Amino acid sequence: MGCDRQKPAPPQAIEAGDALATGPQRYQIDRSHAGTAIADIAVRGTDGRATSLRALIGKPVVLNLWATWCAPCIEELPTLNRLASIRAGRLHVVALSQDIGEDSSVPAAFLAQRGWAAIAAWHDPANAAGLYYGGSLPTTILFAADGDEVVRVIGPLDWSGSVASALLAEADH
């Protein structure tokens, strides 16, 4: 499925759907946390300054947990960047790096070097969000504008495909 340093408990309420165009389905949809408020976890925003995940409340949120060393994450990021470009101003699309360390410029530079500038490059130097939301990379959590979780996608998903469109429609409500 995704990059995984330890094997987590299997998610509940799993569904199947589209895969990235380059391979078979490698993701799971987990609805078992629907309705849970976005965590008040301290992270670093695009400017490297301290902020909280709760600062995203007000628009629907696509929060992608990834790392520079995670191949499935890197495979998925261009589709997230495309989504961020298309839905700019109507949706927060945040790539929250789980690379451990204090230098928040590393994940941002990684995205910029690949031309993925539309996606917001945030950093979680303590890996707090990764531990809170399950630890497997990539994991993407969709939140409604009120900050309540709608669904999690564990593993890489094509964010321009039909499954992603249906999930995003749920977050827009």
Side-chain angles (χ1 to χ4, degrees):
M1 190 171 352
C3 292
D4 203 355
R5 292 194 176 172
Q6 59 186 345
K7 188 172 183 165
Q12 300 172 13
I14 304 302
E15 299 173 10
D18 291 351
L20 286 170
T22 58
Q25 179 193 328
R26 297 180 352 252
Y27 68 89
Q28 295 176 322
I29 295 175
D30 179 359
R31 297 179 183 281
S32 66
H33 305 280
T36 305
I38 193 168
D40 190 17
I41 295 174
V43 295
R44 297 183 188 271
T46 54
D47 59 4
R49 294 184 184 175
T51 189
S52 168
L53 295 180
R54 294 193 55 81
L56 295 167
I57 293 173
K59 293 180 188 174
V61 177
V62 176
L63 180 66
N64 177 257
L65 306 180
W66 72 287
T68 58
W69 47 262
C70 171
C73 300
I74 296 165
E75 179 182 9
E76 178 180 47
L77 283 167
T79 69
L80 284 163
N81 189 70
R82 200 168 321 129
L83 174 65
S85 292
I86 293 167
R87 304 273 308 262
R90 298 177 293 158
L91 175 77
H92 292 294
V93 180
V94 177
L96 182 59
S97 170
Q98 297 300 288
D99 288 288
I100 296 173
E102 289 300 314
D103 190 353
S104 294
S105 67
V106 172
F110 183 91
L111 295 175
Q113 288 169 352
R114 285 153 181 80
W116 302 330
I119 191 167
W122 286 30
H123 186 212
D124 180 12
N127 199 16
L131 294 171
Y132 183 85
Y133 287 113
S136 182
L137 298 179
T139 292
T140 305
I141 305 109
L142 275 68
F143 296 94
D146 65 2
D148 285 347
E149 183 170 332
V150 175
V151 66
R152 292 182 194 187
V153 179
I154 302 157
L157 175 69
D158 179 355
W159 288 93
S160 61
S162 61
V163 170
S165 293
L167 296 175
L168 291 164
E170 291 180 42
D172 281 336
H173 288 102

